[in-house]
Amino acid sequence: MTDAPHLSNEPPQGEALKAEAPKADWADRTEQAVLDAAIERAPALGWNSRMVRAACAANGLSRGDEELLLPNGARDLAALLSRRHDARALAALSDLDPASLKIRERIARAVSARLEAGAADLEATRRCAAFLALPPNADLGLKLAWESADQLWNWAGDTATDWNHYSKRAILSGILIPALTLRWFDGRDAAEAFVARRIDNVMAFEKWKAGKDFDAPLRKMTEALSRMRYGARG
């Protein structure tokens, strides 16, 4: 006699995943709709909790819905805006083959695309930039700049997996933050000129660094410690 098959009240895994999909789709769609409303209202209200509430209310969301969708309030919307601009920059670069350009040209074009990605939302982007400049939000600003730098380097064809992966993104983040600030508050020409100067500085440093052996002091110290521990080997 065979055992009866086990019956469960749990839906099959495939059906459970299908049930989750509409929830995820709703969240994604609603986030973008609230972001659109925030961009419209930020010039008058600023980038703050008041703006978040107004943008959510415009989409028929209660305060409970708002807390569920945007638990970090204006910070969450700032991240959504930055990532929308990243996606817009990559879309603008999609018809360009980075392999056809020298590395400095790739980075210049990538940064220029990112600078212009927020131009259509200029007034709201200014308010968001001022929000991210506040000390409590500096960590988020750095995180978002790193995300942008990572996506631009990936588009440029960077495949480094060693410390160069991190140093390139750190350097580009250090260019993006002031460049974006210049773009929003002083205009395109000032930002583009700053970027060109910084890229020249970075390339000059890389050229100087190319002939240096920066690991030599560490190797010498390691060899000395080894001799002290194990003695000289003949």
Side-chain angles (χ1 to χ4, degrees):
M1 180 176 179
T2 58
D3 293 334
H6 175 67
L7 299 178
S8 171
N9 292 326
E10 295 295 327
Q13 185 176 6
E15 293 182 13
L17 291 175
K18 290 178 183 177
E20 289 296 323
K23 295 179 183 178
D25 290 344
W26 173 86
D28 290 341
R29 289 195 307 270
T30 307
E31 282 178 347
Q32 295 304 314
V34 171
L35 179 58
D36 289 337
I39 289 169
E40 293 177 7
R41 289 159 178 75
L45 300 178
W47 204 271
N48 49 42
S49 59
R50 183 183 171 200
M51 178 270 294
V52 176
R53 177 84 290 267
C56 287
N59 283 276
L61 300 181
S62 68
R63 289 192 178 274
D65 295 330
E66 175 186 329
E67 292 176 3
L68 180 65
L69 189 70
L70 303 167
N72 298 302
R75 284 171 62 95
D76 286 339
L77 279 178
L80 287 171
L81 182 63
S82 179
R83 289 162 188 160
R84 176 183 285 188
H85 291 167
D86 286 342
R88 191 178 290 169
L90 293 176
L93 293 165
S94 62
D95 293 332
L96 182 62
D97 178 12
S100 67
L101 304 173
K102 295 180 179 179
I103 188 64
R104 66 182 299 152
E105 294 171 334
R106 297 180 204 179
I107 297 306
R109 294 289 290 271
V111 172
S112 179
R114 183 59 180 82
L115 292 178
E116 292 312 301
D121 311 318
L122 185 57
E123 292 302 322
T125 304
R126 284 174 174 166
R127 302 304 188 278
C128 185
F131 172 80
L132 291 174
L134 296 173
N137 303 317
D139 63 322
L140 178 60
L142 291 172
K143 178 178 183 291
L144 295 175
W146 182 280
E147 285 185 8
S148 298
D150 182 50
Q151 294 208 45
L152 297 182
W153 268 117
N154 289 341
W155 170 83
D158 178 58
T159 57
T161 56
D162 58 4
W163 67 274
N164 282 299
H165 173 92
Y166 302 98
S167 65
K168 287 177 179 178
R169 283 147 183 79
I171 291 170
L172 188 53
S173 296
I175 294 175
L176 275 173
I177 292 173
L180 288 169
T181 302
L182 283 168
R183 176 64 184 89
W184 308 144
F185 296 99
D186 294 322
R188 180 174 181 171
D189 290 345
E192 295 281 4
F194 168 82
V195 171
R197 290 194 302 272
R198 288 293 291 115
I199 291 176
D200 284 343
N201 292 342
V202 171
M203 296 304 293
F205 173 72
E206 291 295 327
K207 184 177 179 180
W208 171 80
K209 188 179 71 172
K212 309 298 179 181
D213 185 1
F214 291 101
D215 292 333
L218 179 60
R219 285 201 307 273
K220 289 181 179 178
M221 182 180 70
T222 303
E223 290 169 0
L225 291 172
S226 179
R227 285 195 298 270
M228 290 172 62
R229 181 171 183 180
Y230 298 108
R233 294 183 179 180

